[in-house]
Amino acid sequence: MSSNRRVFVIGGHTTPFIGKKHPDFVWKGHPDFGKRENPTLEDYITTAVNGALDATGVEAAAVEKAWIGNFVGELFSNQGHLGAAVVGAHPDLLYKPVMRVEGACASGGLAFASAVDAIRAGNDVTLVVGAEVQTTASARQGGDFLARASHYARQRSLDDFTFPALFGWRTKHYFAKFGITEEDIAYFAVKAYKNANRNPLAHMKNVKMDFETAAHAGDRNPTFLSNEEFHPFIKMSDCSQVSDGASAMIVVSEAGLKALGKTEADAIEVVALAHTTGNLYEDGDPTVLDTTKVAAERVYAEAGITAKDVQVAEVHDCFTITECLMYEALGFADAGHGAALAKEGRTDIDGDIPVNTGGGLVGFGHPVGATGVKQVLEVYRQMKGLCGDYQMPKQPSVGLTANMGGNDKTVVAAVYRNL
Ligand code: CAA
């Protein structure tokens, strides 16, 4: 901790994450096509902000500062300047200091890190929002927009789907180095969809994924990259979803807790946070998430714990290989052994270290700017027993989040304690 001021999360609101294959998502074959539109970025921000205020009973007037994480509102929704969009969500936010922060898929994590800094520096009640709408473009066009999170000049030409190709690169090298197969890695997708099937907010809540489908490319689960070198290494089931959604939460100090009439039992404590940034212009060993590894080392040291103490984790699984590499960077498994952890069921909801209990980015969905905020709220919800059908058998006391932007370039990791 950089100051002795304690930091707490007291809850918030996550909207459903929706997109293709979600029953509420309107597309040209949907019975509601022409009758109603999908929610806009404005709708998502407004719903999440007011949902967080309602869920916590916090008056908008009590919020001292707010941040919104969003990656590319300008490209998908022709809308930037989203600090002012947060103010537009509630009249009592008018003239408060609100800013948008951007760090690709870690934008939400950066919004959270900003609030933690502010509480440590003297603020008492803050609001953190994350939002993204991505379904206004085709997946192929969206691939170009999302490629802005890579080093565009160097990496855009890898494939129309730049990020799936970048993680195809990691998968190829990881398989070769450790003798891992498509079947080994399939357990991540099976777990993600199985968890999402129990989560009413999940993008993939109605889509089933069995081991046979996840383990082999076929009509139901095609490979799709044009890049010949990486084509065999990424199937549809390996990818996070192109989702719309938002999440918002209230982050407070000890004085903030008291002023709001809350007790520690209403809160989880943020006991440590690490924010690390890699070099956009160079990539290291494809089989290691170096920036995440350093964040993990720092956050464990600050919290005074080891990986063995973590009882629930939300990790950035933008692709199945990412979850595997996250396990290794976070110290849950040794190098080359991440897939075995999933295969043995140890990261299932009833395993000894449950990971991404609501489905993760593959199953819950990945509205880029919302993800880092949603992850924190998921840990809060597991700790407070609010996860319904996907509640862990025993409410965890120590939790971890790891939100990653780009190809392991911006990472925000935090450790939480249930009070
Ligand atoms: N057989 C063969 N090929 C098929 C096919 C089939 N049955 N179905 C689809 N395809 C191919 C086609 O080439 C198709 O493209 P075209 O239609 O334009 O030719 C392509 O796959 C995509 O198909 P769809 O548009 O129908 O697929 P979709 O909408 O279901 O999307 C997906 C699937 C491409 C995997 C999409 O979900 C995706 O892009 N996911 C990844 C999203 C992503 O990269 N997010 C960012 C993660 S990285 C991160 O988190 C860090 C950061 O900072 C960015």
Side-chain angles (χ1 to χ4, degrees):
M1 280 282 172
S2 50
S3 85
N4 57 9
R5 283 174 58 85
R6 298 170 71 195
V7 184
F8 304 91
V9 175
I10 59 167
H13 180 77
T14 297
T15 70
F17 286 1
I18 72 167
K20 237 170 149 177
K21 299 193 178 148
H22 187 286
D24 296 341
F25 178 70
V26 180
W27 54 285
K28 48 180 187 307
H30 193 281
D32 287 354
F33 185 70
K35 296 183 199 147
R36 71 176 171 92
E37 305 273 319
N38 292 307
T40 61
L41 184 59
E42 177 182 337
D43 296 329
Y44 277 112
I45 294 170
T46 302
T47 303
V49 168
N50 288 294
L53 296 171
D54 288 349
T56 55
V58 172
E59 302 283 346
V63 172
E64 294 166 346
K65 277 189 178 174
W67 295 262
I68 176 163
N70 171 266
F71 176 37
V72 280
E74 292 86 345
L75 297 179
F76 283 110
S77 303
N78 295 318
Q79 188 61 62
H81 203 175
L82 297 179
V86 171
V87 169
H90 195 290
D92 291 345
L93 294 174
L94 192 63
Y95 305 133
K96 290 186 185 283
V98 187
M99 73 170 90
R100 179 250 192 107
V101 289
E102 187 274 306
C105 298
S107 298
L110 290 184
F112 173 56
S114 305
V116 171
D117 281 348
I119 297 292
R120 287 172 176 172
N123 281 117
D124 291 315
V125 180
T126 63
L127 168 69
V128 177
V129 189
E132 205 86 43
V133 161
Q134 304 181 104
T135 61
T136 50
S138 69
R140 197 176 286 277
Q141 175 73 37
D144 182 45
F145 295 166
L146 291 168
R148 268 79 171 175
S150 71
H151 179 205
Y152 196 90
R154 179 171 57 102
Q155 295 173 317
R156 175 60 187 131
S157 56
L158 276 176
D159 196 277
D160 279 0
F161 298 96
T162 304
F163 267 90
L166 281 167
F167 284 85
W169 167 70
R170 288 190 181 275
T171 310
K172 177 185 167 176
H173 288 279
Y174 187 85
F175 282 12
K177 183 168 176 184
F178 297 110
I180 298 294
T181 65
E182 282 189 295
E183 295 200 345
D184 296 321
I185 219 85
Y187 291 97
F188 292 102
V190 173
K191 172 173 76 71
Y193 281 77
K194 190 172 67 180
N195 291 354
N197 293 164
R198 294 159 76 166
N199 175 5
L201 298 180
H203 186 151
M204 288 295 167
K205 67 177 184 174
N206 288 356
V207 180
K208 305 286 176 214
M209 182 61 64
D210 57 50
F211 177 77
E212 278 310 311
T213 307
H216 307 286
D219 288 349
R220 289 174 57 211
N221 189 17
T223 45
F224 60 94
L225 295 177
S226 311
N227 181 311
E228 284 180 18
E229 185 183 353
F230 305 135
H231 175 92
F233 297 98
I234 292 285
K235 301 186 284 294
M236 293 276 188
S237 64
D238 293 311
C239 299
S240 57
Q241 307 311 320
V242 172
S243 317
D244 301 341
S247 190
M249 64 190 172
I250 305 289
V251 180
V252 303
S253 68
E254 219 165 348
L257 264 188
K258 286 201 188 82
L260 296 169
K262 306 269 181 196
T263 68
E264 291 193 5
D266 300 314
I268 63 171
E269 183 169 4
V270 185
V271 291
L273 184 140
H275 167 199
T276 51
T277 317
N279 180 346
L280 185 65
Y281 308 120
E282 289 172 10
D283 301 303
D285 180 346
T287 68
V288 181
L289 299 177
D290 293 298
T291 313
T292 304
K293 203 168 173 204
V294 176
E297 285 159 7
R298 288 186 190 164
V299 86
Y300 290 143
E302 191 184 331
I305 66 164
T306 70
K308 290 197 171 49
D309 297 311
V310 176
Q311 296 171 2
V312 65
E314 283 286 314
V315 310
H316 200 93
D317 59 323
C318 48
F319 299 93
T320 49
I321 190 68
T322 327
E323 182 163 341
C324 181
L325 295 175
M326 278 265 158
Y327 290 3
E328 298 175 14
L330 296 169
F332 299 165
D334 291 335
H337 293 275
L341 216 60
K343 183 174 180 174
E344 290 159 10
R346 293 185 51 203
T347 53
D348 284 354
I349 290 173
D350 56 0
D352 56 310
I353 163 85
V355 176
N356 295 350
T357 58
L361 284 59
V362 169
F364 200 147
H366 185 26
V368 169
T371 288
V373 182
K374 180 266 296 185
Q375 288 181 323
V376 181
L377 269 182
E378 284 298 289
V379 169
Y380 173 88
R381 295 177 71 233
Q382 279 294 355
M383 287 185 162
K384 298 302 175 195
L386 302 172
C387 284
D389 283 350
Y390 67 97
Q391 182 63 45
M392 287 165 54
K394 181 170 176 289
Q395 283 164 241
S397 331
V398 178
L400 175 92
T401 54
N403 180 207
M404 185 183 89
N407 186 13
D408 189 41
K409 299 304 183 197
T410 295
V411 177
V412 177
V415 169
Y416 312 84
R417 202 175 298 280
N418 195 12
L419 299 167

